[in-house]
Amino acid sequence: MFKRLFFICLALTVPILYFEPMFQIWFRYQAIQFPGSTWIGPLLAIVIYFYGGWIFFVGAWREWHSKIGMMTLVSLAITVSFVYSLAVSLGLQGMPFYWELATLIDIMLLGHWIEMASVQGASRALEHLAKLVPSVAHRLVGDRVEDIAIQALQSNDRILIRPGEQIPIDGQVANGASSVNEAFLTGESRPVTKQVGDEVIAGAVNGEGALKVTVTRTGEQTTLSQIMRLVQEAQNSRSQYQVLADQVAYWLTLIAIGVGTLTFVIWLPLKDITFAINRAVTVLVITCPHALGLAIPLVIVNATAMAAKNGILVRNREAFERAKDIKIVAFDKTGTLTEGKFGVQTVYTDGMNDQEALAIAAALETLSEHPLGQAIVRDAETKGVPRLAATDFQAIAGKGISGLVRETTYFVGRPEWIQELGVQCADNLKQGLEAAEARGESVIALMDQTHVLALFALADQVRESARQAIHQLQDAGVQSVMITGDAEAVAKTVANALGIQRYYARVLPQDKASIVRSLKKEAPTVFVGDGINDAPALLEADLGVAIGAGTNVAIESADLVLIENDPLDVARALKLGKATYSKMIQNLLWATGYNVIAIPLAAGVAYSLGLLLDPAIGALFMSLSTVIVSINAMTLRRVKLA
């Protein structure tokens, strides 16, 4: 809308400038003359005033019901200049302000167009949340399976969840065993084993086994629906942030009205009414500089361009203004400080070397789709371990896998399987198991029919850039906090590895926002996350930052998105935010500072000394401030973020 208004008004402004006497004097040309040519300016100005200015009148009307600001100031300036100029065209002595009126509307429309272009559309977080849940469930009716809409499910219904399917509703496992990926919902990085009696949550992904589940919660009572409600509440409760230009415009409007009225009252008895009106109108017109409409948008456009080059997507322009005060950065763990995928940390062996153990385990796990098994396969490939072939492969749901490798039967699975198989475990392996579990690592056991041969300790791998990010934030005086749904041992291990002194473990989805709320009471807080469970916390924080590889709901709930999935970009974003805010302040000073001199001169304070600010000179001041504001905004690109 602003784009269309701007270009149409700009086209109508060109003839006004061409026929403007001041422009003819400045640029030394003679405009063509014909009957009625003197009315081209007034007629086009009328069209621009009502067509281009209407949006500002609507905005001013809304401001009058809350707090006056930029829209009120613009509306006042264009209305006074329009009415006065029309009166001059109809016979009142004075100089019309048609070209000032037209260009002021053009510049303000341009500024709003730039501003709107820098802001992303309304958040679609709730839509992405809704898409996570399948629309159809497999309900068990006796020995028959029927597909029905999840809205038709009721408590105590039994449903079938096949391997690889998303769980459509909250429930309790009635039959079967499987591993379930709940990382997006709970922040738990490892697949969670589900057996009879365990709870499953809507939106999680089933692993290798089939599950029969009894429905326990439907509709608004499901965990996912509760998270959706938290997101919606956070969106609705966020107060509207007043941009700095509006605050400046508020005071400038009061000054303009006050000084303009005072000017008229003082000069009316001292001079004639025409002089008094001229002085008052000049004050009102000069007080609304063109540059004020561009002061903030131009900085934001340059800042967003810089951010994009550094892998930071800006979804909310207010992020720059809030970044300057940040003192606490709260990180989600899984997928943010860690890579969100497992890697082999330690191998404990008995009777064979690490390479041989990896080769046998990888041969079996190659045929499995379990994420922990795939981590072993990746580690074997990375270390160049020779590939072995496995036959007679079998998957035992909830326990592990077995198969023949070099004519020997091997078992790979959970440590709990050791006792069930009745195989012997050496003392050094028992000690290794205890040490790995104390660190919160997941353990996979390799066994033959009589002994435990090896234990593989796996953990979510810490991002190397996360260490650098924490260090840079500490140097900048910003405290780092970790919030995770993982167990205490896992959280402690990752925190120690990164040098984070403060962390929260086993945090439920609905509690993350509460922790962020409490941190905000200590100091302005950033939250950095990537999961669905992070969305309420992202919205609750003073500044929400989403990892780009995260879920759409997290991205849509954030103010900034790290496209490259690099935690170092958090430090860069805060640095850019502070530099951007500084440029905003500088631009506002340049855009309004000349009023300290211009307003008194326009009011006629130096009239007795022979100094009287002509509207044309005031227009030059406005043009100069616009140029300065534009150049100053461009200098933001010199800031080095790396």
Side-chain angles (χ1 to χ4, degrees):
M1 177 186 66
F2 281 108
K3 179 181 178 182
R4 182 180 67 252
L5 288 171
F6 167 70
F7 279 112
I8 292 176
C9 289
L10 181 63
L12 296 175
T13 300
V14 173
I16 295 177
L17 298 178
Y18 174 73
F19 285 102
E20 169 59 41
M22 294 300 277
F23 271 67
Q24 296 182 48
I25 295 172
W26 290 343
F27 297 103
R28 299 179 181 179
Y29 70 91
Q30 178 66 46
I32 59 173
Q33 302 293 320
F34 53 87
S37 61
T38 56
W39 282 96
I40 290 179
L43 291 175
L44 292 177
I46 291 173
V47 176
I48 292 174
Y49 173 75
F50 285 104
Y51 177 69
W54 185 256
I55 189 69
F56 300 110
F57 303 145
V58 174
W61 175 257
R62 291 172 181 164
E63 286 182 353
W64 275 98
H65 290 80
S66 55
K67 181 181 179 181
I68 60 174
M70 178 71 77
M71 292 296 191
T72 303
L73 185 56
V74 174
S75 299
L76 179 64
I78 63 177
T79 298
V80 169
S81 58
F82 172 72
V83 173
Y84 174 76
S85 300
L86 205 57
V88 171
S89 296
L90 295 174
L92 182 70
Q93 290 185 355
M95 179 181 294
F97 296 124
Y98 290 123
W99 79 269
E100 291 95 333
L101 163 69
T103 54
L104 177 56
I105 291 176
D106 291 344
I107 290 293
M108 296 309 298
L109 289 173
L110 174 62
H112 279 76
W113 172 30
I114 292 174
E115 186 176 19
M116 293 297 176
S118 69
V119 182
Q120 298 296 313
S123 176
R124 296 182 295 275
L126 297 180
E127 295 175 22
H128 290 299
L129 277 171
K131 291 177 181 177
L132 285 173
V133 181
S135 58
V136 175
H138 314 304
R139 184 166 65 180
L140 297 169
V141 182
D143 295 331
R144 185 167 51 87
V145 178
E146 63 178 15
D147 290 347
I148 65 167
I150 61 168
Q151 292 85 351
L153 287 175
Q154 297 180 354
S155 294
N156 297 320
D157 279 352
R158 297 187 73 187
I159 60 174
L160 173 65
I161 304 169
R162 300 186 175 107
E165 290 185 337
Q166 276 191 310
I167 298 170
I169 204 136
D170 290 5
Q172 190 175 51
V173 178
N175 184 269
S178 182
S179 60
V180 174
N181 186 345
E182 296 179 344
F184 286 154
L185 288 163
T186 64
E188 181 70 35
S189 54
R190 72 184 79 181
V192 181
T193 300
K194 298 294 182 180
Q195 297 176 329
V196 175
D198 291 337
E199 184 182 42
V200 292
I201 302 172
V205 180
N206 187 24
E208 70 284 350
L211 296 175
K212 293 181 180 178
V213 172
T214 301
V215 176
T216 56
R217 289 188 294 270
T218 60
E220 297 298 320
Q221 297 177 340
T222 63
T223 302
L224 194 58
S225 294
Q226 290 174 23
I227 294 175
M228 290 174 66
R229 176 180 54 78
L230 287 171
V231 172
Q232 196 166 35
E233 286 177 359
Q235 286 176 325
N236 294 335
S237 65
R238 171 171 286 174
S239 61
Q240 292 296 318
Y241 193 90
Q242 283 291 331
V243 294
L244 291 172
D246 283 340
Q247 295 181 2
V248 172
Y250 169 75
W251 291 106
L252 211 52
T253 302
L254 296 181
I255 293 171
I257 295 173
V259 175
T261 303
L262 185 63
T263 299
F264 179 79
V265 171
I266 291 175
W267 282 113
L268 185 60
L270 298 177
K271 301 284 288 184
D272 56 72
I273 189 172
T274 302
F275 185 89
I277 291 175
N278 265 282
R279 290 300 95 214
V281 170
T282 302
V283 168
L284 289 172
V285 172
I286 284 178
T287 309
C288 186
H290 293 55
L292 186 58
L294 292 173
I296 301 299
L298 281 177
V299 174
I300 290 175
V301 166
N302 281 280
T304 50
M306 279 190 67
K309 288 183 179 179
N310 286 274
I312 305 167
L313 172 64
V314 180
R315 294 198 63 257
N316 190 334
R317 71 175 187 267
E318 296 172 8
F320 294 123
E321 298 163 35
R322 285 186 255 125
K324 67 181 179 68
D325 298 320
I326 296 301
K327 294 298 179 186
I328 298 175
V329 177
F331 289 94
D332 171 54
K333 181 186 75 68
T334 307
T336 304
L337 295 175
T338 63
E339 295 182 357
K341 62 182 181 181
F342 280 79
V344 176
Q345 305 297 312
T346 312
V347 180
Y348 303 95
T349 60
D350 179 47
M352 63 172 59
N353 59 40
D354 293 2
Q355 190 175 41
E356 186 179 0
L358 265 176
I360 295 171
L364 291 169
E365 292 291 7
T366 300
L367 304 174
S368 169
E369 294 182 354
H370 196 285
L372 295 183
Q374 291 304 303
I376 292 176
V377 174
R378 284 195 302 271
D379 191 58
E381 291 175 348
T382 302
K383 294 177 179 178
V385 174
R387 290 190 177 186
L388 300 177
T391 58
D392 293 345
F393 175 83
Q394 280 188 314
I396 297 89
K399 296 180 181 180
I401 57 177
S402 66
L404 282 173
V405 178
R406 293 187 300 198
E407 300 183 355
T408 300
T409 300
Y410 292 98
F411 304 87
V412 179
R414 302 170 59 205
E416 292 81 359
W417 205 12
I418 295 174
Q419 291 183 346
E420 294 181 30
L421 291 175
V423 297
Q424 296 180 9
C425 184
D427 290 340
N428 69 308
L429 294 184
K430 290 179 181 179
Q431 293 171 2
L433 176 61
E434 291 175 0
E437 289 181 341
R439 295 191 298 268
E441 296 171 346
S442 298
V443 178
I444 298 293
L446 170 65
M447 302 160 281
D448 61 15
Q449 293 177 314
T450 59
H451 292 81
V452 179
L453 303 174
L455 295 176
F456 303 93
L458 301 98
D460 193 0
Q461 294 177 302
V462 172
R463 292 181 188 271
E464 185 56 40
S465 60
R467 290 189 176 91
Q468 300 175 45
I470 301 301
H471 181 70
Q472 287 189 14
L473 290 171
Q474 289 174 345
D475 289 345
V478 178
Q479 179 186 6
S480 295
V481 177
M482 186 176 73
I483 304 174
T484 178
D486 262 343
E488 172 73 22
V490 177
K492 184 177 181 180
T493 300
V494 174
N496 289 340
L498 293 172
I500 295 176
Q501 303 298 320
R502 187 176 178 183
Y503 65 89
Y504 298 84
R506 292 196 178 279
V507 178
L508 297 174
Q510 59 266 30
D511 293 335
K512 282 193 176 182
S514 299
I515 292 173
V516 171
R517 195 176 302 119
S518 66
L519 291 174
K520 284 171 61 180
K521 294 178 181 178
E522 299 178 26
T525 300
V526 171
F527 181 77
V528 186
D530 74 326
I532 295 166
N533 58 308
D534 298 330
L538 287 166
L539 285 162
E540 180 64 44
D542 294 298
L543 190 65
V545 179
I547 293 290
T551 57
N552 285 334
V553 63
I555 292 172
E556 293 296 336
S557 302
D559 300 302
L560 301 176
V561 179
L562 308 184
I563 302 171
E564 302 297 332
N565 310 324
D566 188 353
L568 262 175
D569 287 338
V570 176
R572 296 187 183 111
L574 294 183
K575 185 176 181 180
L576 177 60
K578 291 179 180 179
T580 300
Y581 184 81
S582 176
K583 287 297 178 184
M584 289 179 181
I585 294 292
Q586 293 169 19
N587 266 9
L588 289 175
L589 291 175
W590 280 115
T592 58
Y594 79 93
N595 283 290
V596 175
I597 298 174
I599 291 177
L601 292 178
V605 170
Y607 179 68
S608 60
L609 302 176
L611 291 175
L612 193 64
L613 187 62
D614 187 83
I617 302 301
L620 284 177
F621 274 131
M622 282 191 281
S623 300
L624 181 60
S625 65
T626 302
V627 172
I628 292 174
V629 161
S630 302
I631 294 174
N632 189 50
M634 292 295 292
T635 60
L636 181 64
R637 295 174 180 262
R638 294 182 179 180
V639 176
K640 295 186 182 297
L641 301 181

